[in-house]
Amino acid sequence: MREQPTLVERLIDEVRSHLLTPPTGDDRVVRFGNPEEIAAAFAETVSLEFRDDEPAHEPGRVVDAARQVIDWSVATTHPRFVNQNFAGADPIGVVGDWLGAALNTTGATYEVAPVFTLMEHAVLDKLARLAGFPTTSDVHHPPPGMFCPGGSVGLLFALQLARHRLDPDVTRRGADGTRYAVFVSEAGHYSTRKSAALLGLGTDAVVPVAVDRDGAMRPEALGPAIDSTVAAGRVPLAVVATAGTTVTAAFDPLPSIADECTARGLWLHVDGAYGGSALFSAGQRERLDGLERADSLVWDLHKMMGMTQQCSVLLVREPEQLDACFAARADYLFQPDKRNGELDAGDRTFQCGRRTDVVKLWLAWKAHGDAGMTARVDHAVALADHVRNRVEASDGRFAFVVRGDFTNTCVLWVPPELRPLRVEALDDSQRARLHALAPAVKARMQDDGTAMVGYQPVDGLNCFRLLFMNPAVTTTDADTLLSLIDRYATEQWSS
Amino acid sequence: MREQPTLVERLIDEVRSHLLTPPTGDDRVVRFGNPEEIAAAFAETVSLEFRDDEPAHEPGRVVDAARQVIDWSVATTHPRFVNQNFAGADPIGVVGDWLGAALNTTGATYEVAPVFTLMEHAVLDKLARLAGFPTTSDVHHPPPGMFCPGGSVGLLFALQLARHRLDPDVTRRGADGTRYAVFVSEAGHYSTRKSAALLGLGTDAVVPVAVDRDGAMRPEALGPAIDSTVAAGRVPLAVVATAGTTVTAAFDPLPSIADECTARGLWLHVDGAYGGSALFSAGQRERLDGLERADSLVWDLHKMMGMTQQCSVLLVREPEQLDACFAARADYLFQPDKRNGELDAGDRTFQCGRRTDVVKLWLAWKAHGDAGMTARVDHAVALADHVRNRVEASDGRFAFVVRGDFTNTCVLWVPPELRPLRVEALDDSQRARLHALAPAVKARMQDDGTAMVGYQPVDGLNCFRLLFMNPAVTTTDADTLLSLIDRYATEQWSS
């Protein structure tokens, strides 16, 4: 007689089945619901909210609820999920994530995470080699970086390292944050401002540097920005160069920024959260030329490389600074008299308990090899190139806001009477209608579940950001996306 | 004809099988290996390190490697894994974690995380009710807190909120960190010092407050500590009260600390990373009386409650302060013209992309109900009580360093000739030998794979910290643990 499957087994079946049957173009990307609709659906099973005296729900109901979670969630592996700079989670990475969860431990000490500690060393070493940073394969030396819970946190730590190099006493004595200045392009990620606030520098300390039309820092703008900041009495701390901006995937010119930083003794941090993955591709890596002169690099493998949230590293040129800057020497955890204590990663970072984010990347990389990592990047760029060609051949139906030449292209749909588009000739009313178009098109896509496409204001005008990174997306899918935008926009404009 | 299973299917089978066959007392807790041994084992499959030109390894090898990861990892669900304040991951929580990973998205916006956004609201609301914090069930209002990647990060954010309340301009203008002071007990977690360093206050700003014999803050010591700090010219910013210290699980006296904070207008943060879970138990929750007067609380559900790393919340009394303190208004992500934008959680915290840690807790809680959550806590305390009774009935074989009355008890094994132990009568040589005993016993346990028990120096003498939280542990397992310590220590002492 066969036993009934347990609740855990039934839940595993649901999750397994979801992973093994990725959505196709025939499926919905999203079943859009407002909070009230979703709450009403869950009220049929276990209810979203918790009562003051919450009962244990029947296993069947719990399984139904898990199915509802899947049903009402956005299908981020769908070939028409083109909404932001992650998509198409790598199934091997997903199972690697599951493996880490099943072995639930913390990456803080070798004692409880022997394999993961060694994996971190191996992966950080390999990533540092790709970045041109100094490396060491000896696991008894600190690895050239750390895993962080996301790119924002990595940037925060990098700026603290910069402050610590300028004034090693900051850890003990603190600092007057208002003295410093950090430079980042106008198109750089907002985490520089958030980090400055948290470090006590304040967002006023973040000096925006002008960008060119594509969103890359203007090399000639950095020096004067630093000069005038110094003249105003602030101490320059670091330059954050962006390798792959969020909206247009622009790469700041690292060689000239590195020259400026070297000349002035400034910390050069490269925010490669998005674009760091260009290092995997022989055809793309020159975008990061000069990176080898940086002091630190943030690189999110959960963006282009399809690792699940979160898989982010901070690489550093001088690994010994991690301990000097972050260690607290808690003797209950990092006991000086235990075996292999020098391998503990925990005191080289800010976190204590820490998810073992490395295992999924390690497993996926071993399965795909370098060639598989390269292919993912090259596929993304090829699809973006395909869309750029389509836009150019669209007889004015679409117009570039920022054409781009990496994974992103930002486009407007152009109403027939405005083709060919001359943005500068738009009157206020046309501009306002055009600006309102993208949110309306997006809402209709969500309602129909046909696509998820991100839109962003560029120079005050909402455009569609088409960006590709899911290996399951084909050129046909990309064409369908453009057709959908055209159809919804046409209907919306004439309504 | 049946198709060959794919690599993903084979990997799922390994992970599934591991989860469904938890280790028993007959299994090893750990297969201890130094880095060279582990590297040699992996060299037989896919190698731990990455070559400059890493190949894609054969699927069979990758599956073998996944098996090796399991084999060389510490079995943290084993009934004799009593090594730190997590253990015995809840299998439903593990599958909930898998579900979140399979649906890979970020918790930053409602648009891409509709269900998870609503779940966060529901869970934070319920946790706030347990804590006695103001709550709102209306999802269109901000929930009373946020999920954070661990307790250290939550504490960091809490101190920034404290600084922001004192000086709302800090976000924009920055601050002279050296002015401030933060108070925490001598037994409090080191993350207060790490946070002070990162915020620019410096570790000098952290004023340690004396504790009693059990590790709880002495209520009469706080006021004078604040007075003398003020006299020295510093501005008191916050008091960090600990609910469940790491080593002895002591609870600081919240009512008198709250009185002091109220009288002086100081931010009261409660570090309940460990002990917050006492709120689940009617018999234990009075340890946290006074919590309802705190401004913020950190609570790690990945500790006592068996959620996988990471599942940590920061609860706050004034949810609207989260936005005021952390928002950056990035218009490419938090578009002002999109639907349901007010539900986006992303700008109420520091992180941008963020793992959906809520789903595992939500699923497990729905399956277990409040009663199941209570049972987990009560079981932990009952086991610690059992061990305390055994120690008391051991005829001097074991002696308390700190008896404790919650989940932790810290004990010494006592050599026959020193029974009954009088610590103050030990000469230097006896003391040194006794101090060296715990690391040696631990190493032997690891070599044999029989147990993992944490040891910590208390007053300069290493003791065993026995702490319970895995529901699979029985009183027989606890007895076996004591027997193992006795056996190894006896052999080691006489060697």
Side-chain angles (χ1 to χ4, degrees):
Chain A
M1 194 182 109
R2 202 180 143 77
E3 277 183 76
Q4 290 291 312
T6 63
L7 172 55
V8 173
E9 288 170 314
R10 292 171 69 185
L11 290 170
I12 293 175
D13 286 347
E14 294 297 328
V15 182
R16 179 182 189 280
S17 152
H18 175 71
L19 183 65
L20 293 176
T21 51
T24 70
D26 296 332
D27 298 307
R28 281 186 287 108
V29 182
V30 58
R31 174 178 182 177
F32 182 79
N34 59 39
E36 292 69 27
E37 288 166 320
I38 296 176
F42 277 87
E44 306 286 320
T45 58
V46 303
S47 178
L48 269 176
E49 295 80 32
F50 289 85
R51 294 163 33 182
D52 279 335
D53 186 7
E54 184 71 17
H57 294 271
E58 284 175 23
R61 292 284 177 111
V62 175
V63 175
D64 288 345
R67 239 180 256 126
Q68 287 183 307
V69 173
I70 294 170
D71 189 41
W72 288 95
S73 285
V74 175
T76 63
T77 55
H78 193 286
R80 289 194 302 276
F81 178 81
V82 186
N83 203 67
Q84 48 213 109
N85 49 19
F86 71 91
D90 177 345
I92 295 177
V94 173
V95 185
D97 194 333
W98 294 3
L99 178 60
L103 293 170
N104 184 43
T105 193
T106 160
T109 64
Y110 181 81
E111 172 179 304
V112 294
V115 181
F116 305 124
T117 300
L118 300 177
M119 279 181 176
E120 279 195 0
H121 203 291
V123 167
L124 289 166
D125 186 62
K126 171 79 177 186
L127 292 172
R129 270 182 277 157
L130 288 174
F133 277 34
T135 66
T136 171
S137 61
D138 181 350
V139 296
H140 297 282
H141 287 123
M146 55 166 108
F147 276 74
C148 298
S152 295
V153 175
L155 178 65
L156 174 72
F157 294 167
L159 292 180
Q160 175 71 347
L161 285 164
R163 183 161 64 171
H164 179 261
R165 184 174 74 180
L166 201 62
D167 175 10
D169 269 359
V170 67
T171 300
R172 188 174 59 77
R173 284 194 305 106
D176 180 358
T178 64
R179 300 171 55 221
Y180 298 111
V182 175
F183 302 84
V184 65
S185 92
E186 291 169 340
H189 192 260
Y190 70 82
S191 51
T192 300
R193 302 181 69 224
K194 287 203 171 188
S195 294
L198 203 54
L199 293 163
L201 280 58
T203 53
D204 282 355
V206 180
V207 180
V209 183
V211 294
D212 64 21
R213 192 73 194 86
D214 293 338
M217 188 187 286
R218 304 182 85 95
E220 72 280 10
L222 178 59
I226 299 174
D227 287 337
S228 58
T229 304
V230 171
R234 285 196 183 247
V235 179
L237 183 63
V239 176
V240 177
T242 309
T245 58
T246 309
V247 177
T248 66
F251 287 72
D252 288 350
L254 298 184
S256 62
I257 297 173
D259 288 345
E260 200 71 47
C261 289
T262 304
R264 299 175 186 256
L266 300 190
W267 186 281
L268 172 54
H269 174 73
V270 176
D271 177 1
Y274 186 11
S277 294
L279 291 169
F280 283 116
S281 164
Q284 301 299 325
R285 58 172 301 134
E286 68 179 11
R287 298 175 187 278
L288 287 141
D289 281 354
L291 171 63
E292 67 285 355
R293 296 169 62 192
D295 295 289
S296 55
L297 168 72
V298 156
W299 186 352
D300 287 353
L301 287 308
H302 58 245
K303 291 197 163 78
M304 283 193 71
M305 302 317 293
M307 294 299 107
T308 49
Q309 283 280 347
Q310 62 219 20
C311 191
S312 179
V313 299
L314 169 65
L315 299 181
V316 295
R317 166 167 304 286
E318 298 180 17
E320 58 279 13
Q321 291 307 311
L322 297 176
D323 185 82
C325 181
F326 288 106
R329 317 247 176 265
D331 63 7
Y332 76 88
L333 184 60
F334 309 112
Q335 298 93 335
D337 47 11
K338 79 173 161 190
R339 291 195 284 188
N340 301 115
E342 83 282 7
L343 295 164
D344 291 354
D347 226 16
R348 289 195 294 265
T349 185
F350 173 82
Q351 293 185 283
C352 182
R354 186 163 58 84
R355 188 174 175 91
T356 54
D357 296 324
V358 67
V359 58
K360 55 195 169 191
L361 175 59
W362 184 91
L363 195 70
W365 202 338
K366 288 291 179 184
H368 301 315
D370 285 354
M373 307 298 265
T374 303
R376 189 169 176 116
V377 174
D378 288 346
H379 174 264
V381 180
L383 272 178
D385 283 340
H386 172 82
V387 169
R388 281 186 278 264
N389 290 337
R390 286 285 193 238
V391 169
E392 276 162 0
S394 71
D395 287 328
R397 189 178 296 265
F398 292 97
F400 292 119
V401 174
V402 177
R403 187 185 183 284
D405 58 4
F406 188 50
T407 49
N408 296 22
T409 185
C410 293
V411 303
L412 287 169
W413 175 85
V414 185
E417 64 270 31
L418 297 178
R419 296 173 197 166
L421 181 68
R422 286 180 53 237
V423 172
E424 64 284 3
L426 294 173
D427 65 31
D428 286 353
S429 152
Q430 288 169 329
R431 205 178 161 86
R433 278 188 73 199
L434 210 49
H435 181 63
L437 195 63
V441 166
K442 169 140 198 174
R444 296 194 54 178
M445 285 177 170
Q446 288 173 304
D447 285 337
D448 291 353
T450 47
M452 288 274 286
V453 182
Y455 71 87
Q456 279 78 25
V458 173
D459 298 332
L461 197 57
N462 277 324
C463 62
F464 295 102
R465 179 186 57 173
L466 298 168
L467 77 177
F468 297 93
M469 50 200 64
N470 181 351
V473 179
T474 64
T475 51
T476 307
D477 294 316
D479 292 345
T480 306
L481 271 171
L482 289 173
S483 301
L484 283 168
I485 293 174
D486 184 46
R487 171 157 71 85
Y488 288 117
T490 302
E491 291 172 14
Q492 187 67 27
W493 187 260
S494 60
S495 73
Chain B
M1 192 181 110
R2 204 180 142 77
E3 278 185 75
Q4 289 291 314
T6 64
L7 172 56
V8 173
E9 287 170 316
R10 292 170 69 183
L11 291 170
I12 293 175
D13 286 347
E14 294 297 329
V15 183
R16 179 183 188 280
S17 152
H18 175 72
L19 183 65
L20 292 177
T21 50
T24 70
D26 296 331
D27 298 307
R28 281 185 286 107
V29 182
V30 59
R31 174 177 183 177
F32 182 79
N34 58 40
E36 292 70 26
E37 289 166 319
I38 296 176
F42 277 86
E44 305 286 320
T45 58
V46 303
S47 177
L48 270 176
E49 296 80 31
F50 289 86
R51 293 163 35 180
D52 279 334
D53 186 7
E54 184 71 18
H57 295 269
E58 284 175 24
R61 292 284 177 111
V62 175
V63 174
D64 288 344
R67 239 180 256 128
Q68 287 183 306
V69 173
I70 294 170
D71 188 41
W72 288 94
S73 286
V74 175
T76 63
T77 55
H78 192 286
R80 290 193 301 274
F81 177 81
V82 187
N83 202 68
Q84 48 212 108
N85 49 18
F86 71 91
D90 177 347
I92 296 177
V94 173
V95 186
D97 194 332
W98 296 3
L99 178 59
L103 293 169
N104 184 44
T105 193
T106 159
T109 63
Y110 181 81
E111 172 179 304
V112 294
V115 180
F116 304 124
T117 299
L118 300 176
M119 279 181 175
E120 279 194 1
H121 203 292
V123 167
L124 290 165
D125 186 63
K126 171 80 177 186
L127 292 172
R129 270 181 277 156
L130 289 173
F133 277 34
T135 66
T136 171
S137 60
D138 182 350
V139 297
H140 297 282
H141 288 124
M146 56 165 106
F147 276 74
C148 299
S152 295
V153 175
L155 178 65
L156 174 73
F157 294 167
L159 292 180
Q160 175 71 345
L161 285 164
R163 183 162 64 169
H164 179 261
R165 184 174 75 180
L166 201 63
D167 175 10
D169 269 0
V170 66
T171 300
R172 187 174 60 77
R173 283 196 305 106
D176 180 357
T178 64
R179 300 170 56 219
Y180 298 110
V182 174
F183 302 83
V184 65
S185 92
E186 291 169 340
H189 192 260
Y190 69 83
S191 51
T192 299
R193 302 182 68 227
K194 287 204 171 188
S195 295
L198 203 53
L199 293 163
L201 280 57
T203 54
D204 281 355
V206 179
V207 180
V209 183
V211 294
D212 65 20
R213 191 74 193 87
D214 292 339
M217 189 188 284
R218 304 183 84 94
E220 71 281 10
L222 178 59
I226 298 174
D227 287 338
S228 58
T229 303
V230 170
R234 285 197 182 248
V235 180
L237 183 63
V239 176
V240 176
T242 309
T245 58
T246 309
V247 177
T248 66
F251 287 72
D252 288 349
L254 298 184
S256 62
I257 296 172
D259 288 345
E260 201 69 48
C261 289
T262 304
R264 299 175 187 255
L266 300 190
W267 186 280
L268 173 54
H269 174 72
V270 176
D271 178 0
Y274 187 10
S277 294
L279 292 169
F280 284 116
S281 165
Q284 302 298 325
R285 57 173 300 132
E286 68 180 9
R287 299 174 186 279
L288 287 142
D289 281 353
L291 171 63
E292 68 284 354
R293 296 169 62 192
D295 295 290
S296 55
L297 168 72
V298 155
W299 186 352
D300 286 354
L301 287 308
H302 60 244
K303 291 196 163 79
M304 283 193 71
M305 302 317 293
M307 294 299 107
T308 49
Q309 281 282 347
Q310 61 218 24
C311 192
S312 178
V313 299
L314 169 64
L315 299 180
V316 295
R317 167 167 304 284
E318 298 180 18
E320 58 278 12
Q321 292 306 312
L322 298 176
D323 185 82
C325 181
F326 289 106
R329 316 249 176 265
D331 62 8
Y332 76 88
L333 185 59
F334 308 113
Q335 298 94 336
D337 46 12
K338 79 173 162 190
R339 292 194 285 188
N340 302 115
E342 83 282 7
L343 294 164
D344 290 355
D347 225 15
R348 289 195 295 265
T349 185
F350 173 82
Q351 293 185 282
C352 181
R354 187 162 57 84
R355 188 174 175 91
T356 55
D357 296 323
V358 67
V359 58
K360 55 195 169 192
L361 176 59
W362 184 90
L363 195 70
W365 203 337
K366 287 291 178 184
H368 301 314
D370 285 355
M373 306 298 265
T374 304
R376 189 169 176 115
V377 174
D378 288 346
H379 174 264
V381 179
L383 272 177
D385 283 341
H386 172 82
V387 169
R388 282 186 278 263
N389 290 337
R390 285 284 193 242
V391 169
E392 275 162 1
S394 73
D395 288 327
R397 188 178 297 263
F398 292 98
F400 292 121
V401 173
V402 176
R403 187 185 183 283
D405 58 4
F406 187 51
T407 49
N408 296 22
T409 185
C410 293
V411 302
L412 288 169
W413 175 86
V414 185
E417 65 270 30
L418 296 178
R419 296 174 196 165
L421 181 69
R422 286 179 51 237
V423 173
E424 63 284 3
L426 294 173
D427 64 31
D428 285 353
S429 153
Q430 289 169 327
R431 206 177 159 87
R433 278 189 73 199
L434 210 48
H435 182 63
L437 196 62
V441 167
K442 169 142 198 172
R444 295 195 55 178
M445 286 176 169
Q446 288 174 304
D447 284 336
D448 291 354
T450 47
M452 287 275 286
V453 182
Y455 71 88
Q456 279 79 25
V458 174
D459 298 332
L461 199 56
N462 277 324
C463 62
F464 296 101
R465 179 185 57 173
L466 299 168
L467 76 178
F468 298 93
M469 49 201 64
N470 181 351
V473 179
T474 64
T475 51
T476 307
D477 294 316
D479 291 345
T480 305
L481 271 171
L482 288 173
S483 301
L484 284 168
I485 294 174
D486 184 45
R487 170 156 71 85
Y488 287 117
T490 302
E491 291 173 13
Q492 187 67 28
W493 186 260
S494 60
S495 72

